[in-house]
Amino acid sequence: MAERERLNTRQRGTVFVPKSQLLSPEEVQRAVRRMAHEILERHEDIANLVIIGLQTGGICFADRLAEVIREVSGVDIETGTLDVAFYRDDVTIRPVLESAETSVDADLANRVVLLVDDVLYTGRTIRAALNALADWGRPQAIQLAVMVDRGHREIPIRADYVGKNLPTSQAEAIDATLDGVWIGTLVKK
Amino acid sequence: MIDSIAGGNLVSLATLSQRAIVEVLDTAESFVEVNSRSVKKVPALKGKVIASLFFEESTRTRLSFETAAKRLSADVLSLAVASSSVKKGESLRDTINTIDALGIDAVVMRHSSSGAPVQVSRYVPHVRVINAGDGQHQHPTQGLLDAFTVRQVLAARAGTSGRESGSELFAWLNVLIVGDVRHSRVARSDIEVYTRLGARVTVAAPGTLLPPDIAQWPVTVATNFDEALATADVVGLLRLQKERGSGAFVPSLGEFTSTFGLTSRRAKLLRPETIIMHPGPMNRGVEIDSQVADSSAAVIEQQVRNGVPVRMAVLYLTTAGTTLESGSND
Amino acid sequence: MTNPTLVIRGGLIVGPLESFLGDVLITDGRIVEVGPSITAPSGAVEIDAVGSWVGPGFVDLHTHLREPGKESAETIETGAFAAALGGYSAVVAMPNTEPSLDSVAMVGYVLERGKSAAVDVAVAGAITIGRQGEQMAPIAKLAALGVRLFTDDGNGVQDAGLMRRALTYAQPLGVTLAQHCEDESLAQGGSMHEGAVSSKLGLTGRPAIAEELMVMRDIELVRLTGCSMHFLHLSTERSIALVIEARAQGLPVTCEVAPHHLTLDETACETFDSEFKVHPPLRTAADVAALRAALRAGAIDAVATDHAPHTPESKDMAFDEAPPGMLGLEQAAGLTLEALGGAEADPQVFFNVLSRGPARVAQMREQDVRVGHSAHGGAVSVGEDANLVIFDPNASYVVDRDNLASRARNTPYHGRTIHGRARATIVRGRLVQLEGNLQ
């Protein structure tokens, strides 16, 4: 399941080849838990939050964050998923991505949306997500939580909640799931 | 066989593998979701110019494609050539080159001659060509939306989603195609798509409306129409292709209806869960009784609705981006 | 002004029964000496034929020169150039021009224009006025002009009654009627062979039976009337078998096959490229094999090109709308060599099907009564009119559609390597082409 999700975020025809593990599963769980507490701290009315995971790498983190928040506060957070394949601005220079499901049940007006993704890199995915959200309505505010921030931004985007800052080179690739964070390379199939 | 239409043309379903077909169906599912929003538009093809070139008139298919293109934010050049000064016998090449000079990224074309899109793709290899129906050859998006509709209906019954089911729901499915197979591009496309997805296809028609070499096709020929109806999971009706000369192949429309029409009497032979389909436009009273067409077993309106997301998927996959493998995940 | 004396050196001279190495000396339009190591007079032009075959110039029974009416595609002049480059010393022009060659005036026009062409141009007259299949053309008057072959080619004569009358009328005149065998009611609307490929492509087909049924009909009409009949461009295994059987029964029938039916089959149409559209259509691989076998066995009288030029604009149409027909004069000999087995080809059979056989059917040999034409299809012996070709079976070249002598470019062989090439063509003692250059 994780493997299929991982494959879905890659370009068609490439596979992530891990080199070494940077965070163990326990370290990932701790980071998610810490972010959940940060989120609770910054939101007085936690029920007003809508957590939206970005397809496909952000889904597991969005679900886990919602779980921890429910554990700690007793409040059931509304969640959703967002696929941004159709909103990317670099569609002419990237291969066509497979699309996945978008489902957002909540009415976003007056709500605070927390976008969740696995890795923040150039920022283009988040920019596409902002474009997509604009078609869904006008939230009161949009915040961003990511498991890993690996730097190399090409757009002025920053995350509000970061699991781990990991400076990397552009030749490397990062894979982040609830089973751990790995550094490696992308190889053509 | 090609595994994906991404960055390529869609001229015939004969060259698409199962994987390529499922990719279109899955992508179409995403667009169904887009079509349910209040803003039914995504910027995926912003800046792209799509020409719709219909040498043969078809308001419904043309509007479906143009709607799909607009919902992808593409610019649409609509040329209803059938009513313009281009007459039969005028050079295809001239028409295409004129349009190409306007800088188009993709052309959706319908033509009365089989193979016209293949020839066009040779004249303008840098333009994506999408076949909206060529003579008796293929109507790929019809085949795809038919398969999409079947998957949608069966997935809903099974309580799952089409995307999750992949092609599983088609295994052991009995599809019965009735009518003018010989002259029908929809039949050729449907047979390709259903057999590739794993279904079993049976055809039923008067002898003259089957191609002479039907024994070599990957289908069974029904010897008893009533029996075939009773065992079919899907019944796909074809229109008598009068404009393609099928009129001379049967003694009269009345005789066709009495032997192969889906009359109210025959509809009673169907199982309650059998799906009835028709690519439209229907000849009510000929291949299908009005009552049957309006019954709950018929998913004809659903087929029409699915035309837009399926065509969005096709336009998106063929026209967005290139097959360049560059960039990174971010 | 007379042509210079020519001497052909060291080629394999292919006679009707045997071949031998030697030289050929040509003066004043005739062969004056044949033998080893000929001493040539001073001023004679030497033509090297070492490694090549020397034989009678090819005769094409079936060429569309398009003049009058469609000169944008080809003219008598350009068609004759294409013929010369292909090794032909004579062609028979088909009558489906505009207007048709169905009158003394039109036939006379083409014969006159042909006099200044690079090769000998004979004319096939139409069987019916306008090739409409309704009323007989003035066959006797045209025969007096020298016409020996009559055909409505482009179409077959559909009405059996009319065909019987035409055969009966022509029989005492010593001429031959030639038929494009395709029953219109069966072939109607079809643009390629009716079979698995046409079915998959959604193209209406022209079934084999459309040709075979008319072959059967005409064989019986020949039996009834006793007139000679020549079957044009037969394309199926069964058609050939029918004619062989009829010939064995002593009927005066002959037949030809076209190079494209010897080398291409229905699968060539899968790309919907109208260069491959022709009537009768490209058939199955089994038909191609059967035609080749019959050719090698000597059962086919002639290879005839059915050279059919079309302007690029007219071929640039949808497959079912484009006109049928492909070029053939320049590649026919090499393709025939391929069909005969390439390196294993029998030079006797080669010259029989390309020259001697067609010359016999067209009545253009030494012993035939000819009007205004020299003699073709000879034995390469002293005294004969010098219509010769030097053919190198080992030369090869790649077909380039932009580099043809024909005005048109509709060849299906663009990019294909052809083995075997006419290095020189001599017509009435004049060297008309040497190494691919018109003289």
Side-chain angles (χ1 to χ4, degrees):
Chain A
M1 179 68 176
E3 187 56 41
R4 193 175 69 184
E5 280 176 351
R6 245 179 271 136
L7 287 175
N8 269 330
T9 51
R10 304 301 185 221
Q11 307 162 46
R12 186 181 312 282
T14 62
V15 153
F16 176 75
V17 175
K19 222 169 48 181
S20 66
Q21 190 178 51
L22 300 179
L23 290 179
S24 69
E26 296 76 43
E27 286 170 307
V28 170
Q29 294 291 352
R30 264 206 301 279
V32 172
R33 193 159 273 276
R34 191 246 309 141
M35 281 197 284
H37 281 277
E38 279 174 30
I39 293 165
L40 275 165
E41 203 186 303
R42 281 178 53 180
H43 289 88
E44 252 183 59
D45 181 11
I46 196 68
N48 197 37
L49 196 66
V50 179
I51 298 183
I52 297 184
L54 266 58
Q55 288 280 14
T56 48
I59 309 281
C60 59
F61 291 103
D63 289 342
R64 188 77 190 112
L65 278 172
E67 239 179 80
V68 175
I69 291 175
R70 184 174 47 244
E71 260 179 54
V72 172
S73 68
V75 179
D76 252 321
I77 302 292
E78 280 174 68
T79 58
T81 64
L82 184 63
D83 177 76
V84 301
F86 307 137
Y87 288 88
R88 303 198 63 90
D89 64 353
D90 52 357
V91 137
T92 51
I93 55 167
R94 281 187 65 144
V96 171
L97 294 179
E98 289 173 30
S99 59
E101 202 191 353
T102 291
S103 102
V104 177
D105 287 328
D107 173 14
L108 300 179
N110 302 317
R111 307 292 292 271
V112 175
V113 167
L114 177 67
L115 288 175
V116 182
D117 205 1
D118 53 349
V119 177
L120 177 58
Y121 184 28
T122 61
R124 292 194 186 273
T125 303
I126 305 304
R127 186 240 181 98
L130 293 175
N131 286 345
L133 275 183
D135 278 356
W136 278 91
R138 194 182 175 284
Q140 187 189 319
I142 303 175
Q143 296 185 340
L144 174 64
V146 296
M147 182 59 222
V148 172
D149 181 345
R150 60 176 288 204
H152 299 290
R153 213 76 76 237
E154 288 173 11
I155 304 208
I157 299 244
R158 56 128 186 79
D160 297 281
Y161 313 95
V162 180
K164 183 95 178 136
N165 277 301
L166 286 174
T168 57
S169 86
Q170 284 170 328
E172 295 163 318
I174 295 281
D175 181 83
T177 66
L178 291 172
D179 296 329
V181 175
W182 292 77
I183 191 165
T185 45
L186 284 178
V187 164
K188 284 202 178 68
K189 265 195 244 181
Chain B
M1 290 257 166
I2 55 172
D3 266 340
S4 170
I5 62 171
N9 297 332
L10 180 61
V11 168
S12 162
L13 291 181
T15 51
L16 300 198
S17 70
Q18 186 187 89
R19 188 187 182 283
I21 290 172
V22 171
E23 180 184 43
V24 176
L25 300 185
D26 288 348
T27 310
E29 213 153 288
S30 303
F31 285 116
V32 168
E33 184 275 309
V34 169
N35 282 322
S36 66
R37 305 180 192 168
S38 53
V39 177
K40 299 177 192 346
K41 213 162 154 144
V42 293
L45 292 188
K46 192 157 131 177
K48 300 283 188 183
V49 180
I50 299 183
S52 108
L53 207 57
F54 275 61
F55 289 86
E56 209 181 52
E57 195 41 71
S58 158
T59 315
R60 182 172 12 192
T61 306
R62 185 163 59 81
L63 282 180
S64 182
F65 264 109
E66 290 182 6
T67 303
K70 287 178 183 166
R71 289 194 180 168
L72 291 165
S73 305
D75 294 322
V76 178
L77 287 180
S78 174
L79 293 126
V81 181
S83 56
S84 84
S85 59
V86 175
K87 291 177 279 287
K88 207 170 157 70
E90 236 181 74
S91 164
L92 259 184
R93 185 193 288 262
D94 277 343
T95 314
I96 300 308
N97 285 340
T98 309
I99 290 168
D100 184 42
L102 299 168
I104 53 178
D105 298 288
V107 62
V108 174
M109 66 178 284
R110 170 172 284 204
H111 199 284
S112 54
S113 294
S114 303
V118 178
Q119 294 170 290
V120 166
S121 66
R122 270 200 293 274
Y123 298 143
V124 284
H126 49 287
V127 175
R128 302 278 59 79
V129 178
I130 291 113
N131 182 5
D134 63 330
Q136 299 174 6
H137 181 222
Q138 290 269 324
H139 192 355
T141 55
Q142 183 70 47
L144 289 165
L145 74 87
D146 285 347
F148 183 80
T149 305
V150 169
R151 189 171 89 159
Q152 196 181 52
V153 171
L154 295 177
R157 285 184 193 164
T160 174
S161 78
R163 194 196 298 271
E164 272 163 29
S165 68
S167 63
E168 279 161 24
L169 296 166
F170 290 92
W172 303 112
L173 197 71
N174 279 325
V175 177
L176 175 66
I177 295 179
V178 186
D180 191 356
V181 175
R182 184 183 190 134
H183 298 109
S184 168
R185 55 193 176 213
V186 172
R188 284 177 176 79
S189 285
D190 275 347
I191 290 171
E192 290 288 350
V193 83
Y194 288 128
T195 51
R196 197 88 72 253
L197 288 169
R200 288 190 296 208
V201 180
T202 305
V203 294
T208 47
L209 291 183
L210 292 173
D213 68 326
I214 190 70
Q216 269 69 256
W217 285 37
V219 304
T220 310
V221 179
T223 43
N224 184 316
F225 186 40
D226 284 3
E227 266 170 36
L229 284 171
T231 54
D233 299 306
V234 175
V235 177
L237 302 167
L238 300 171
R239 203 167 52 83
L240 259 189
Q241 309 280 307
K242 284 186 297 234
E243 71 279 16
R244 273 180 254 292
S246 54
F249 288 74
V250 293
S252 71
L253 289 185
E255 179 144 335
F256 175 81
T257 306
S258 63
T259 46
F260 286 95
L262 190 61
T263 57
S264 303
R265 172 190 82 75
R266 290 207 177 94
K268 293 201 181 80
L269 298 170
L270 298 169
R271 287 177 285 123
E273 63 273 15
T274 301
I275 303 167
I276 300 174
M277 304 178 68
H278 193 300
M282 288 184 282
N283 289 322
R284 284 172 183 264
V286 179
E287 64 263 3
I288 186 170
D289 255 13
S290 245
Q291 229 178 316
V292 179
D294 297 329
S295 73
S296 56
V299 299
I300 297 161
E301 255 172 69
Q302 203 170 341
Q303 285 173 275
V304 175
R305 267 202 309 278
N306 286 332
V308 173
V310 168
R311 287 169 176 133
M312 285 174 80
V314 167
L315 288 172
Y316 171 68
L317 288 167
T318 54
T319 311
T322 60
T323 49
L324 258 175
E325 281 173 43
S326 58
S328 55
N329 65 310
D330 50 350
Chain C
M1 164 166 145
T2 51
N3 295 310
T5 297
L6 305 170
V7 59
I8 306 173
R9 292 278 184 212
L12 182 75
I13 299 169
V14 183
L17 297 170
E18 50 173 21
S19 310
F20 53 93
L21 290 169
D23 301 342
V24 181
L25 182 66
I26 296 154
T27 305
D28 282 343
R30 302 216 152 197
I31 298 174
V32 295
E33 196 180 337
V34 178
S37 309
I38 292 176
T39 321
S42 68
V45 173
E46 298 263 328
I47 304 173
D48 172 41
V50 172
S52 293
W53 300 341
V54 177
F58 308 140
V59 175
D60 191 19
L61 283 172
H62 196 142
T63 307
H64 295 274
L65 294 179
R66 300 303 189 209
E67 188 182 341
K70 286 220 155 114
E71 289 86 348
S72 50
E74 193 84 286
T75 62
I76 294 169
E77 184 187 34
T78 57
F81 283 146
L85 288 178
Y88 288 86
S89 53
V91 299
V92 178
M94 289 289 112
N96 61 333
T97 48
E98 285 162 22
S100 315
L101 305 182
D102 59 5
S103 66
V104 166
M106 285 298 108
V107 171
Y109 170 81
V110 175
L111 287 172
E112 189 59 41
R113 298 277 294 150
K115 280 186 185 145
S116 50
V119 305
D120 266 358
V121 176
V123 170
I127 295 175
T128 63
I129 302 283
R131 296 169 44 250
Q132 293 299 299
E134 286 160 19
Q135 204 194 328
M136 272 197 286
I139 294 176
K141 282 200 202 162
L142 298 182
L145 290 181
V147 176
R148 299 284 174 260
L149 277 172
F150 292 84
T151 178
D152 274 358
D153 182 60
N155 303 95
V157 175
Q158 302 296 309
D159 188 296
L162 179 64
M163 194 64 204
R164 180 198 181 171
R165 251 175 289 136
L167 283 164
T168 307
Y169 185 79
Q171 195 271 331
L173 301 173
V175 298
T176 302
L177 298 197
Q179 191 77 285
H180 169 130
C181 292
E182 268 195 306
D183 182 308
E184 293 287 305
S185 66
L186 287 166
Q188 183 182 66
S191 50
M192 65 171 290
H193 174 65
E194 182 186 281
V197 178
S198 70
S199 180
K200 183 177 72 166
L201 299 183
L203 285 172
T204 305
R206 301 176 85 82
I209 194 70
E211 174 176 303
E212 292 154 2
L213 208 53
M214 201 178 270
V215 172
M216 284 182 216
R217 180 198 80 175
D218 284 355
I219 285 173
E220 293 310 315
L221 290 177
V222 165
R223 200 190 305 279
L224 187 63
T225 61
C227 183
S228 331
M229 170 133 239
H230 175 71
F231 289 97
L232 301 171
H233 46 49
L234 291 182
S235 65
T236 80
E237 179 170 4
R238 192 158 177 218
S239 295
I240 301 290
L242 287 164
V243 173
I244 291 175
E245 168 77 24
R247 193 195 293 136
Q249 291 165 5
L251 295 178
V253 294
T254 55
C255 67
E256 70 185 37
V257 296
H260 43 270
H261 290 119
L262 290 167
T263 51
L264 298 169
D265 65 43
E266 58 182 346
T267 57
C269 301
E270 276 168 0
T271 54
F272 291 101
D273 188 342
S274 64
E275 306 288 35
F276 298 100
K277 180 175 178 178
V278 64
H279 296 167
L282 301 176
R283 301 284 187 191
T284 66
D287 290 311
V288 174
L291 261 59
R292 286 190 174 205
L295 189 76
R296 281 187 227 199
I300 294 181
D301 301 279
V303 166
T305 66
D306 196 7
H307 179 86
H310 289 289
T311 57
E313 312 84 71
S314 61
K315 274 292 198 179
D316 259 353
M317 292 203 246
F319 194 89
D320 60 348
E321 291 172 4
M326 32 180 91
L327 297 178
L329 284 169
E330 290 173 67
Q331 293 86 34
L335 295 168
T336 302
L337 186 75
E338 183 188 309
L340 285 172
E344 301 158 3
D346 181 343
Q348 243 78 45
V349 177
F350 180 80
F351 280 100
N352 282 348
V353 296
L354 281 168
S355 180
R356 295 184 171 116
R360 175 173 38 90
V361 174
Q363 298 184 45
M364 291 180 87
R365 299 166 301 174
E366 179 76 51
Q367 62 265 49
D368 293 311
V369 177
R370 289 161 283 110
V371 177
H373 296 125
S374 53
H376 299 265
V380 194
S381 31
V382 174
E384 283 181 346
D385 290 334
N387 288 312
L388 298 168
V389 61
I390 296 162
F391 183 81
D392 183 354
N394 298 305
S396 68
Y397 65 100
V398 178
V399 178
D400 178 5
R401 72 161 74 95
D402 294 314
N403 229 336
L404 301 169
S406 171
R407 221 173 200 185
R409 295 158 72 233
N410 56 312
T411 171
Y413 300 108
H414 177 72
R416 182 173 173 142
T417 304
I418 308 271
H419 298 281
R421 181 172 220 171
R423 292 179 55 195
T425 309
I426 295 159
V427 179
R428 285 171 259 130
R430 181 175 99 83
L431 182 66
V432 294
Q433 73 97 353
L434 181 65
E435 305 295 357
N437 299 311
L438 295 162
Q439 304 294 300

